[in-house]
């Protein structure tokens, strides 16, 4: 969800948290099996540019995207826009590597999109009576500090009070020089466990990657199923997202959209930096732009949930929480409002339901506006002079302004 080095990473994590505001290791490490380059869903031969000639709406979206790519000095932009599940336009602009054109079927890291899938799977288990959102985690994770007061809901909606290891300077000092390091959950959790809680669990809001490490561990114990298999069975499989998958190694299924970053002070390729620090093993996903649009629509519409669960996805009780206190600054405990708040693995902004991963040179967004059935998926990569921040968001904001001017995708 965030970039890698200490200074840039902290800045971007806080940015992503602000966008929210208002925006162990599994036993068996399954190897990534190289995809069949010609098979459907493997290499994404069903994810291609929209057939020409384009209609007026598609041309307008592409014109907006081309200008945004130029304005933001992006290396590549991939996009797909659908309305009520029907394609408006799919395309890829720019290059993956020098001399290698970007294509819609290229795979990229999707980071926090996994949190939306995990949140949906959790709500399905609640619907089935397997667990209750307000079950405390002590029965599955007894060694977690305050386990008797932390619930599954608090892990999923970021109200546990745990520090975020990604913004911890000690973590940054270790990760920055070692982008290929393989991290275990125990190593990552040692950072938040070394700090006192920001607040008593459930009484405020603050973003922490540690919540999802623990939620995944709890779900695996609850179900007896590895998280990648659980999400495939309950979310990505039923949605036909054949090119969205977990990776237990830094490998990415071919074809690959390459990433580049200046996070460490010089422009370098970061495609295969190890993403094990970003979330729990089994939940480190890659995808392509067509699957990302499918995810935007399905998660944003609550397709896999009952109406009651869908309402919980959008607001599990976070609205009204956050704000500065004696133990937590306003920059950490961000105020959650009706207009901009974190749901249960998703972000809600002016009616849009989204996730916005950004780390190690990759940036993306999936956004869905239920009132118009509008799904926007964008992925972007950087040139040496690309501005800091998630530029995929900026591209999506410009598209949204044209297609839904009364519903601004005003993340910042």
């Amino acid at each position: 969800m965030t970039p890698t080095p200490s200074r840039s990473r902290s800045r971007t994590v806080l940015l992503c948290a602000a966008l929210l505001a208002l925006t162990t290791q599994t036993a068996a490490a399954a190897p990534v099996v190289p995809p069949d380059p010609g098979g459907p869903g493997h290499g994404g031969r069903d994810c291609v540019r929209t057939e020409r000639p384009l209609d007026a709406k598609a041309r307008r979206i592409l014109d907006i995207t081309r200008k945004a790519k130029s304005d933001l000095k992006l290396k590549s932009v991939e996009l797909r826009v659908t309305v009520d599940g029907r394609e408006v336009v799919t395309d890829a602009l720019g290059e993956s590597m020098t001399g290698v054109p970007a294509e819609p079927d290229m795979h990229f890291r999707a980071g926090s999109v996994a949190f939306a899938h995990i949140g949906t799977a959790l709500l399905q288990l609640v619907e089935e009576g397997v667990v209750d959102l307000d079950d405390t985690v002590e029965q599955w994770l007894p060694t977690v500090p305050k386990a008797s007061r932390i619930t599954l809901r608090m892990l999923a909606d970021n109200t546990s009070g745990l520090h975020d290891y990604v913004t911890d300077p000690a973590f940054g000092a270790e990760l920055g020089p070692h982008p290929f390091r393989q991290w275990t959950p125990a190593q990552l959790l040692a950072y938040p466990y070394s700090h006192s809680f920001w607040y008593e669990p459930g009484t405020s809001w603050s973003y922490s990657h540690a919540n999802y490490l623990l939620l995944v561990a709890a779900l695996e114990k609850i179900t007896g199923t590895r998280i990648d298999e659980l999400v495939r069975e309950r979310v990505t499989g039923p949605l036909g997202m054949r090119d969205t998958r977990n990776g237990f190694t830094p490998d990415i299924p071919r074809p690959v959209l390459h990433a580049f970053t200046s996070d460490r002070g010089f422009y370098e390729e970061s495609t295969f930096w190890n993403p094990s620090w970003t979330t729990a093993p089994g939940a480190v996903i890659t995808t392509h732009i067509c699957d990302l649009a499918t995810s935007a629509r399905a998660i944003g519409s609550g397709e896999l949930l009952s109406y009651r669960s869908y309402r919980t996805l959008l607001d599990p009780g976070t609205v009204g929480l956050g704000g500065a206190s004696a133990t937590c600054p306003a920059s950490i405990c961000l105020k959650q409002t009706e207009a901009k708040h974190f749901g249960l693995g998703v972000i809600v902004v002016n009616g849009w339901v989204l996730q916005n991963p950004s780390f190690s040179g990759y940036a993306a967004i999936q956004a869905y506006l239920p009132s118009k059935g509008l799904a926007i998926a964008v992925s972007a990569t950087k040139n040496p002079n690309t501005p800091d921040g998630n530029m995929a968001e900026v591209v999506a904001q410009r598209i949204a302004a044209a297609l839904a001017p009364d519903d601004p995708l005003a993340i910042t």
Side-chain angles (χ1 to χ4, degrees):
M1 181 170 179
T2 48
T4 315
S6 177
R7 180 178 62 84
S8 293
R9 185 183 55 261
S10 298
R11 179 179 61 244
T12 305
V13 169
L14 293 175
L15 172 63
C16 288
L19 305 182
L20 305 180
L22 321 196
T23 161
T24 229
Q25 180 96 24
T26 51
V32 174
V33 178
D36 171 9
H42 297 279
R45 289 298 93 195
D46 52 348
C47 186
V48 297
R49 287 180 173 82
T50 305
E51 185 176 349
R52 268 56 174 175
L54 300 176
D55 65 19
K57 181 182 287 187
R59 291 196 304 272
R60 184 183 184 195
I61 293 169
L62 270 186
D63 286 344
I64 291 168
T65 305
R66 288 191 189 97
K67 186 175 188 308
K69 178 181 177 297
S70 175
D71 291 346
L72 303 172
K73 302 176 174 58
L74 295 169
K75 189 173 190 65
S76 74
V77 179
E78 301 193 334
L79 73 150
R80 182 174 172 90
V81 176
T82 67
V83 175
D84 295 329
R86 295 187 298 274
E87 178 189 44
V88 177
V89 66
T90 304
D91 215 319
L93 310 176
E95 295 181 318
S96 171
M97 298 183 291
T98 302
V100 179
E103 300 289 345
D105 64 345
M106 287 180 167
H107 299 92
F108 51 86
R109 302 200 190 282
S112 57
V113 167
F115 302 158
H117 300 167
I118 291 167
T120 293
L122 170 60
L123 287 169
Q124 290 175 350
L125 293 170
V126 172
E127 289 178 5
E128 295 163 12
V130 176
V131 292
D132 189 283
L133 276 182
D134 296 316
D135 286 341
T136 57
V137 301
E138 59 186 328
Q139 56 187 306
W140 306 292
L141 307 173
T143 62
V144 172
K146 300 192 179 185
S148 64
R149 284 173 278 172
I150 294 175
T151 66
L152 295 173
R153 183 194 303 268
M154 293 173 194
L155 295 179
D157 68 9
N158 284 287
T159 57
S160 72
L162 282 163
H163 277 236
D164 185 6
Y165 59 84
V166 174
T167 56
D168 191 315
F171 173 73
E174 177 60 27
L175 181 62
H178 305 110
F180 297 102
R181 175 175 171 174
Q182 178 76 23
W183 292 84
T184 68
Q187 291 168 338
L188 295 169
L189 289 168
Y191 291 96
Y193 288 176
S194 70
H195 299 279
S196 59
F197 281 58
W198 285 118
Y199 46 83
E200 186 63 22
T203 62
S204 189
W205 185 94
S206 57
Y207 189 81
S208 175
H209 289 73
N211 289 321
Y212 295 99
L213 295 181
L214 296 173
L215 180 59
V216 165
L219 288 174
E220 290 186 331
K221 291 192 174 183
I222 290 165
T223 63
T225 304
R226 210 170 59 189
I227 195 65
D228 58 315
E229 297 173 356
L230 183 70
V231 170
R232 183 170 60 249
E233 291 169 3
R234 290 181 169 273
V235 181
T236 59
L239 295 176
M241 295 171 58
R242 294 171 295 176
D243 278 272
T244 299
R245 64 197 73 177
N246 165 74
F248 284 99
T249 76
D251 195 16
I252 300 176
R254 295 183 297 274
V256 179
L257 180 69
H258 285 247
F260 302 83
T261 183
S262 301
D263 282 348
R264 301 200 300 170
F266 51 92
Y267 187 65
E268 60 185 325
E269 178 159 3
S270 52
T271 307
F272 298 108
W273 283 5
N274 196 318
S276 58
W277 60 272
T278 60
T279 188
V284 182
I285 65 171
T286 57
T287 192
H288 63 33
I289 201 66
C290 294
D291 271 9
L292 191 65
T294 296
S295 175
R297 176 193 54 77
I299 298 299
S301 67
E303 178 178 327
L304 299 174
L305 298 172
S306 68
Y307 179 75
R308 180 178 180 181
S309 292
Y310 176 55
R311 301 312 302 173
T312 300
L313 180 85
L314 300 185
D315 181 13
T318 51
V319 172
L321 295 178
S325 71
T327 60
C328 188
S331 59
I332 299 294
C333 288
L334 298 163
K335 187 68 177 177
Q336 304 292 290
T337 68
E338 185 68 35
K340 298 181 180 181
H341 63 272
F342 201 92
L344 205 142
V346 299
I347 305 161
V348 179
V349 177
N350 294 332
W352 291 87
V353 184
L354 61 101
Q355 260 296 357
N356 56 346
S358 176
F359 63 97
S360 299
Y362 284 106
I365 184 172
Q366 64 170 47
Y368 183 76
L369 185 61
S371 63
K372 290 184 168 53
L374 172 61
I376 299 174
V378 178
S379 170
T381 59
K382 299 179 177 182
N383 277 311
N385 51 356
T386 300
D388 288 337
N390 186 330
M391 293 298 103
E393 290 176 351
V394 179
V395 178
Q397 287 170 341
R398 294 188 184 187
I399 295 171
L403 301 183
D406 297 328
D407 302 281
L409 187 55
I411 303 172
T412 53

